[in-house]
């Protein structure tokens, strides 16, 4: 596999079902720079971890645009919304994240996520009951997709009757995260994403207006009415944060659940262990985040100073791709990295990133996936794959099957 085509190999849909041979080849050149105006691609665990904590790496959308990334979205390209804190650097990133975190978890809302445990189980029970007498299902459409979107809508405070609207908005927004859609080749996809973001923003603006007048016990009300030491969010900041939580809180969890069930069906001994011991779900989810992470790479970083990595100088103003999934299977860091092993004693994965931009919704995604997989294992009798590998989504950043058709003998 020639290095000249490595960038294409990473994003090539043909490799989506199994990108790991590409990543193995990529790690032979841990700092790869193929073209003069192309990104520096980092694939080793320790280098990725270090760069995620390096203040010389910027997430700011303006710096990415200056580095020549045509796919960078700005306010005028995102339905009028400013970048979320995911696309900002300190100090503004820190201010917005602290405000959002005060509504999401400790210390101000320490039980917000864990307090949803019972509701999550009810949602999962209803979805599995909904399989009825069927003996074959598409796990994505009938379970993995509706579960997290329902949870994030309940968390934000979206009325239940409006939950079905979200799929039409979320799909094009997620598609826009793929590096391939940012190179000017697919203007239809870009326009669809802009329109979806605008429609979603307008809808959420109506909810924000309601919560301003009549606060409720939901995340959106807390964001709107926050009056802590960091001040309050503007209306536009509330909308950008809400859109971020909806997309990040939904699509990554869909893929984590689907990747998880696919992996368990390929390892029936571990699936049986989970059926007998639901508590194993904690270790299983951590190993899944290493072994089959939903976020494969982080393509939106820029160097704001010269940085030396393994003797290679990455010049100031360069784009950087951090291939998290390659680092997660780096033999320098993990023993026998290609083996799925929930008994692994040291699972310090990169599945949720690291540093100041580590996944904001990690506690929610963990709990959702633990409940989803343990209940599927407990209730489905003799589940098995009908197609392996399944068809995958085209997205190179957020990797997961588009469909996962499985058969089973009944529901307990």
């Amino acid at each position: 596999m020639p290095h000249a085509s490595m960038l294409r190999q990473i994003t090539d849909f043909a490799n989506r079902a199994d990108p790991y041979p590409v990543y193995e080849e990529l790690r032979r050149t841990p700092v790869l720079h193929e073209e003069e105006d192309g990104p520096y691609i980092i694939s080793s665990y320790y280098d990725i971890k270090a760069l995620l904590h390096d203040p010389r790496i910027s997430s700011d959308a303006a710096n990415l645009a200056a580095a020549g990334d045509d796919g960078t979205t700005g306010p005028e390209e995102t339905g009028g919304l400013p970048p979320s804190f995911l696309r900002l650097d300190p100090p503004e990133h820190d201010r917005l994240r602290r405000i959002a975190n005060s509504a999401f978890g400790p210390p101000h809302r320490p039980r917000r996520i864990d307090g949803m445990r019972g509701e999550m189980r009810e949602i999962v029970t209803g979805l599995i009951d909904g399989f009825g007498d069927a003996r074959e299902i598409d796990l994505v459409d009938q379970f993995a997709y509706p579960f997290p979107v329902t949870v994030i809508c309940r968390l934000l405070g979206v009325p239940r009757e409006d939950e079905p609207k979200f799929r039409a908005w979320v799909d094009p927004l997620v598609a826009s995260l793929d590096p391939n859609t940012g190179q000017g080749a697919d203007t239809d996809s870009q326009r669809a994403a802009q329109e979806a973001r605008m429609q979603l923003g307008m809808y959420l603006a109506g909810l924000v207006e309601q919560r301003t007048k009549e606060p409720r016990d939901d995340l959106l009300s807390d964001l709107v009415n926050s009056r802590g030491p960091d001040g309050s969010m503007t209306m536009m900041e509330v909308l950008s944060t809400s859109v971020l939580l909806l997309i990040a809180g939904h699509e990554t969890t869909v893929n984590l659940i689907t990747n998880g069930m696919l992996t368990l069906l390929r390892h029936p001994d571990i699936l049986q262990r989970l059926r007998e011991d639901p508590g194993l779900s904690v270790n299983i989810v951590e190993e899944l985040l290493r072994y089959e992470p939903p976020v494969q790479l982080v393509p939106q970083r820029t160097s704001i100073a010269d940085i030396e990595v393994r003797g290679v100088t990455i010049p100031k103003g360069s784009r950087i791709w951090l291939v998290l999934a390659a680092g997660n299977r780096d033999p320098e860091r993990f023993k026998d990295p290609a083996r799925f092993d929930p008994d692994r004693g040291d699972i310090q994965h990169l599945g949720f990133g690291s540093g100041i931009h580590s996944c904001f919704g990690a506690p929610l995604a963990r709990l959702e996936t633990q409940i989803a997989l343990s209940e599927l294992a407990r209730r489905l009798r003799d589940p098995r794959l009908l197609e392996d590998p399944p068809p995958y989504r085209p997205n190179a950043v957020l990797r997961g099957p588009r469909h996962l058709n499985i058969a089973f003998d009944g529901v307990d």
Side-chain angles (χ1 to χ4, degrees):
M1 188 182 301
H3 276 168
S5 65
M6 190 58 70
L7 187 65
R8 181 181 62 80
Q9 292 282 344
I10 293 171
T11 59
D12 191 345
F13 178 66
N15 294 318
R16 203 70 74 246
D18 184 11
Y20 297 103
V22 175
Y23 298 156
E24 183 177 1
E25 178 71 19
L26 183 62
R27 284 193 300 269
R28 297 181 184 180
T29 309
V31 184
L32 179 63
H33 186 226
E34 296 178 313
E35 304 167 3
E36 184 176 350
D37 60 347
Y40 284 78
I41 305 173
I42 313 298
S43 55
S44 72
Y45 177 94
Y46 291 110
D47 296 333
I48 294 170
K49 186 75 174 287
L51 289 172
L52 285 170
H53 288 261
D54 196 320
R56 296 172 296 175
I57 299 296
S58 170
S59 299
D60 194 297
N63 288 328
L64 195 63
D69 190 328
D70 294 334
T72 303
T73 53
E76 72 284 355
E77 300 171 334
T78 57
L81 294 181
S84 69
F85 61 76
L86 188 67
R87 305 292 301 280
L88 296 173
D89 292 336
E92 196 60 11
H93 160 275
D94 298 350
R95 179 183 75 86
L96 292 173
R97 181 160 174 149
R98 280 194 298 265
I99 294 173
N101 194 63
S102 71
F104 191 77
H108 304 284
R109 290 287 192 172
R111 289 176 292 278
R112 168 151 272 161
I113 300 305
D114 193 66
M116 294 186 71
R117 187 183 295 267
E119 190 170 9
M120 290 183 197
R121 290 193 182 280
E122 289 179 7
I123 297 168
V124 166
T125 296
L127 289 169
I128 296 177
D129 288 347
F131 299 162
D133 295 329
R135 294 295 177 265
E136 295 182 5
I137 62 162
D138 178 356
L139 192 79
V140 175
D141 285 347
Q142 294 172 251
F143 184 87
Y145 199 100
F147 174 42
V149 76
T150 301
V151 171
I152 197 66
C153 285
R154 304 271 176 90
L155 182 67
L156 283 171
V158 173
R160 295 192 184 192
E161 61 269 21
D162 291 342
E163 290 172 7
K165 295 180 181 180
F166 278 78
R167 183 161 192 168
W169 293 328
V170 170
D171 283 350
L173 287 172
V174 169
S176 71
L177 299 176
D178 195 312
N180 284 327
T181 63
Q183 305 305 318
D186 194 346
T187 55
D188 287 344
S189 294
Q190 294 178 45
R191 279 196 295 266
Q194 292 164 20
E195 176 67 18
R197 190 177 175 96
M198 182 178 68
Q199 293 290 336
L200 181 57
M202 290 173 60
Y203 172 82
L204 289 171
L207 287 185
V208 167
E209 187 175 354
Q210 291 177 10
R211 297 304 191 270
T212 302
K213 299 174 182 176
E214 299 176 5
R216 303 180 186 176
D217 185 18
D218 56 44
L219 181 61
L220 199 57
S221 294
D222 283 1
L223 292 176
V224 170
N225 297 289
S226 173
R227 299 293 184 271
D230 288 296
S232 58
M233 288 187 179
T234 66
M235 164 74 85
M236 300 303 283
E237 289 168 346
V238 170
L239 295 179
S240 285
T241 300
S242 299
V243 171
L244 169 66
L245 292 174
L246 178 65
I247 298 171
H250 173 248
E251 195 66 22
T252 51
T253 309
V254 173
N255 288 339
L256 183 56
I257 291 170
T258 310
N259 290 343
M261 196 60 186
L262 174 61
T263 300
L264 290 172
L265 290 169
R266 287 171 171 170
H267 296 81
D269 55 328
I270 297 175
L271 180 60
Q272 181 59 34
R273 286 179 59 193
L274 179 59
R275 184 181 178 95
E276 297 168 356
D277 178 14
L280 186 62
S281 64
V282 175
N283 281 13
I284 284 175
V285 169
E286 294 310 303
E287 176 68 342
L288 282 171
L289 285 159
R290 183 198 69 83
Y291 181 79
E292 286 280 27
V295 180
Q296 294 278 290
L297 65 133
V298 176
Q300 296 170 335
R301 294 289 189 272
T302 316
S303 58
I304 55 176
D306 290 355
I307 303 173
E308 183 174 318
V309 180
R310 299 208 183 202
V312 176
T313 298
I314 301 176
K316 177 182 178 180
S318 300
R319 288 185 293 134
I320 298 174
W321 284 19
L322 305 174
V323 188
L324 306 181
N328 273 343
R329 294 204 185 187
D330 187 347
E332 285 188 4
R333 175 60 182 83
F334 297 103
K335 182 179 179 181
D336 198 6
R339 181 167 61 93
F340 179 64
D341 180 13
D343 298 316
R344 193 180 294 274
D346 179 13
I347 315 178
Q348 295 294 318
H349 56 74
L350 299 169
F352 285 134
S354 192
I356 65 169
H357 288 288
S358 60
C359 179
F360 178 80
L364 179 63
R366 281 187 166 104
L367 184 56
E368 287 176 295
T369 308
Q370 290 164 14
I371 291 172
L373 295 180
S374 60
E375 284 298 288
L376 287 168
R378 182 178 70 85
R379 297 195 60 192
L380 298 187
R381 293 199 297 270
D382 190 24
R384 51 203 179 273
L385 289 170
L386 292 175
E387 186 179 10
D388 193 10
Y392 274 77
R393 303 175 190 272
N395 199 302
V397 174
L398 301 179
R399 175 176 168 269
R402 173 60 189 88
H403 300 285
L404 187 65
N405 295 310
I406 67 174
F408 48 91
D409 294 340
V411 176
D412 290 333

